[in-house]
Amino acid sequence: MNLLAIETSCDETAAAVLGSDRSLLSSIVLSQDEIHAPYGGVVPELASRRHLQSIGYVVGESLRRASLGVDRLDAFAVTQGPGLIGSLLVGLSFAKGLAYYFKKPLVGIDHLESHIEAAFLEGRKVSFPAVALVVSGGHTSLFFLEKRLRYRLLGRTRDDAAGEALDKIAKFLDLGYPGGPVIEKMAVGGDPERYRFSRPRMKDSSLDFSFSGLKTAALKCIAETGMSKDHSGLADFLAGFEAAVVRALIEKLAAALAELRPVSLILCGGVARNKRLRTEFEALARSSGLAAFVPAPRFCTDNAAMVGALALEKLGRTKKPRLDLELDAYPRFIRAAG
């Protein structure tokens, strides 16, 4: 089965073609960083307009690199959500049009579930049960995987996602966009102990996250110290803030391990490219005696390869794949898959 997957949940227009043996024949990702950089964050209307302009070219290039014509495709997959509604509708409408014209099955895919699927790419064998930490610019969530394709949401951010917190501090200091990679680069060599931030605390015992208080503490520190991109202590400040974000993520993950006792850990999402986070994640896994799985950096950020891989897994368990034109977009994670 040859499958075309499309991903337009936020500010990357992506398409991928996967072959009958689940091999990745092509993967194209067109970033919109230069569009949103002047604003220090994603502008939804601009994102959806750029998707409209780019999706035909991106899909066409993915087919060209896969050496396949669209008539040789056997199925289509597309991200339904969560994400920006305008952006999601561009990909969803495009995929529906192709599937309807060629009378082929269409599979709707959840964006967060596809991020978890990225850990299975490149032939990795994950043992179950597992706990997955999904960390990106717009999402910070913990999931429990009893087995493949069975997810249970354990906790999510109640305000800013981890990536958003990094982006907002970078924007406030006029460091550039996207903020996470900029902060990571500029924090190299900095002393994370010079500016210490208190850990976010939830009043209940849930596994939810909160980064608004940490962001407020960072803004207060900026005001009190006169911190700027020319300040001599910038690297120390950024290292301290980055370390605080990572510490908050790892502590919640450790709490989930104590409660559920999985045999594997998964780290995924765009922020999973962060070296400090990857190092702390792997250290936790080693100290707990658990297997650790982190996708290759190119599969951490939004891409269509992970969408297609999850779709093929779902299709392999479906007796009669169908063309579902009733698929709709949704902005938030609303279901647990089973």
Side-chain angles (χ1 to χ4, degrees), residues 3 145 163 174-175 204 223 254 261-262 279 290 305:
L3 177 141
L145 284 71
D174 194 25
L175 301 180
D204 54 28
R261 301 196 179 280
T279 299
L290 305 178

Side-chain angles (χ1 to χ4, degrees), residues 30-39 50 177:
L30 181 63
S31 172
Q32 298 181 6
D33 285 353
E34 76 285 355
I35 301 295
H36 304 287
Y39 307 97
R50 180 48 65 98
Y177 175 84

Side-chain angles (χ1 to χ4, degrees), residues 257-303:
L257 303 191
E259 179 179 323
L260 297 164
R261 301 196 179 280
V263 297
S264 297
L265 295 182
I266 296 171
L267 173 65
C268 51
V271 181
R273 294 180 302 169
N274 181 276
K275 292 180 181 178
R276 188 188 299 271
L277 176 56
R278 292 169 83 99
T279 299
E280 293 295 325
F281 171 81
E282 290 166 357
L284 175 63
R286 282 195 304 272
S287 65
S288 304
L290 305 178
F293 298 88
V294 186
R298 70 188 181 112
F299 295 130
C300 288
T301 52
D302 292 351
N303 65 88

Side-chain angles (χ1 to χ4, degrees), residues 164-238:
E164 283 179 304
L166 292 165
D167 284 344
K168 288 179 179 179
I169 294 303
K171 178 182 179 180
F172 193 84
L173 291 171
D174 194 25
L175 301 180
Y177 175 84
V182 171
I183 287 177
E184 180 179 12
K185 182 178 180 180
M186 299 184 73
V188 172
D191 178 9
E193 300 298 321
R194 181 177 176 184
Y195 299 98
R196 288 190 61 85
F197 300 93
S198 58
R199 289 170 286 186
R201 297 287 188 185
M202 307 300 291
K203 292 184 178 179
D204 54 28
S205 58
S206 76
L207 293 174
D208 285 349
F209 300 87
S210 174
F211 292 96
S212 63
L214 183 58
K215 181 188 66 179
T216 300
L219 293 175
K220 180 180 178 183
C221 180
I222 290 172
E224 292 176 347
T225 62
M227 187 62 61
S228 69
K229 60 182 178 181
D230 301 315
H231 194 287
S232 61
L234 179 64
D236 297 336
F237 170 81
L238 296 178

